[in-house]
Amino acid sequence: MTWLSVLQVANYLIPLLIIPYIVRVLGVELFGKVSYAQNVISYFTLIVNFGFEYSVTRRIAIWKHDKDKVSLVFWSVMRQKTILLFVSFVCLLILYLCFPKVHNDINLYAIIFILNVGVVLFPTWFFQGIEDMGKMAVFNVLIKTLGLLLTVAFVHSASEYLLYPLFTSVAYVICGVVAMIYVLKHYGITYVKTRKAIRFLVFKEGFPVFLNNLFVSLYTIANMTILGFFVSDVVIGYYSGAHKIIMAVLMFTSTPINMALYPNISRKFAVSKEQGIAYLKNITKIVVLFSITVSILVYIFAPLLVRLILGVEFVSSIAMLRIFSVLPFLVTIASLFTVQGLYGIGLQKYAPWIGCSIGIFCIVLNFVTIPRFGMYGAAFSWIIAQTLELIITGTILRVYFNKQKNR
């Protein structure tokens, strides 16, 4: 969990360190434009990942001592992620032809899209399953730091704003190449012709997770997408400033917890349901206390965080960040119940239905609240959706635990 936290530092905290510099160079409007493009491209990243970070992690964790099976799974995932990358590129071309916002800034969108090449190459799912993230976390920190230094060295005016996302994308691709070389040499992964049965298994197990992630995106990133239909790039800049801070907090708290615990809890449920349930209950108490503490700290220090990271020009982001401060608790616990609970127990079939219902509700809510309340409507829609996810998944787990107890 510690090494995964270091990895999240590289992925989210180091890029956040450049924000105080870049927002002052670009200004609110250009920062909003770049942030909106990053928001759109994040849908393609979701497609490329396809839920493999959980479904395949489970397989690697179970088969980690069987080199032949691990190699089969590895190359099956790489093949499918490459295909999904091309599918995503075709989707970007369609957006270019159909939407003026993308058409007018296609260079910006294309540069950010390059990041997905790194997403294909970097086998996060493999390291999670093997449970050995140390060396790659260090490599990731060094490479992301290079991206930060290049941005500071070469981006000095608003006219050079395209270099900012370019260095981010290039850093991620380099990280992916280094990770791929390391895995092939260190773990002795040999190329094998993938089998149709394994490819189907990988796809089948990843599909429910992908659907859930897709539906969850309807209330985590779609709010900014819809916000762009109604407000200016300046307002998007205020919203995205607070959004980037809270996402850095979430990725530094929620993501390492869930990624680190998932392989272990999968094995415990594989041994016995009783052992898995007991482990989940114990860890939930600790995570609840931790996440509430983080939420309180974000609320208290919101003015300081905004002024230090974004600057006085983003004073309108303070109220937004305080609204977002409840999310470390909501997202961490909801993710714990979904990933450790539903996925660990093997009830992932419910996840897409939960995500779909909440996602559709949130989309409708966004179109109702954003025209009236602007960025605040988008924020409250996200919070309401996360609260619903926590309640629904918690109820399913409680019913399941009671059934197991009564047997």
Side-chain angles (χ1 to χ4, degrees), residues 136-194:
M136 288 320 304
V138 173
F139 279 128
N140 217 328
V141 169
L142 293 175
I143 292 167
K144 294 298 173 60
T145 302
L146 175 62
L148 183 151
L149 295 175
L150 288 173
T151 300
V152 173
F154 293 101
V155 182
H156 302 299
S157 66
S159 62
E160 299 169 324
Y161 78 98
L162 288 177
L163 292 177
Y164 162 51
L166 176 63
F167 290 140
T168 301
S169 295
V170 168
Y172 211 97
V173 172
I174 293 173
C175 185
V177 171
V178 172
M180 178 62 67
I181 293 172
Y182 177 82
V183 167
L184 295 178
K185 289 188 175 181
H186 184 76
Y187 293 100
I189 302 296
T190 55
Y191 178 76
V192 292
K193 187 176 180 180
T194 59

Side-chain angles (χ1 to χ4, degrees), residues 71 223 329 357:
S71 294
N223 45 15
F329 168 70
S357 302

Side-chain angles (χ1 to χ4, degrees), residues 116-134:
N116 286 318
V117 176
V119 173
V120 171
L121 293 172
F122 193 92
T124 303
W125 44 271
F126 180 84
F127 288 111
Q128 289 171 212
I130 294 294
E131 297 176 89
D132 181 14
M133 294 293 289

Side-chain angles (χ1 to χ4, degrees), residues 246-291:
I246 202 64
M247 287 304 296
V249 173
L250 291 175
M251 294 305 171
F252 193 63
T253 54
S254 175
T255 302
I257 289 172
N258 284 296
M259 284 184 172
L261 295 177
Y262 185 66
N264 191 29
I265 203 168
S266 294
R267 285 194 297 272
K268 288 186 181 296
F269 274 111
V271 173
S272 73
K273 291 180 180 178
E274 291 76 15
Q275 189 178 126
I277 291 171
Y279 182 78
L280 180 60
K281 286 182 177 180
N282 289 332
I283 204 67
T284 297
K285 297 174 185 177
I286 299 172
V287 174
V288 165
L289 180 62
F290 171 72
S291 59

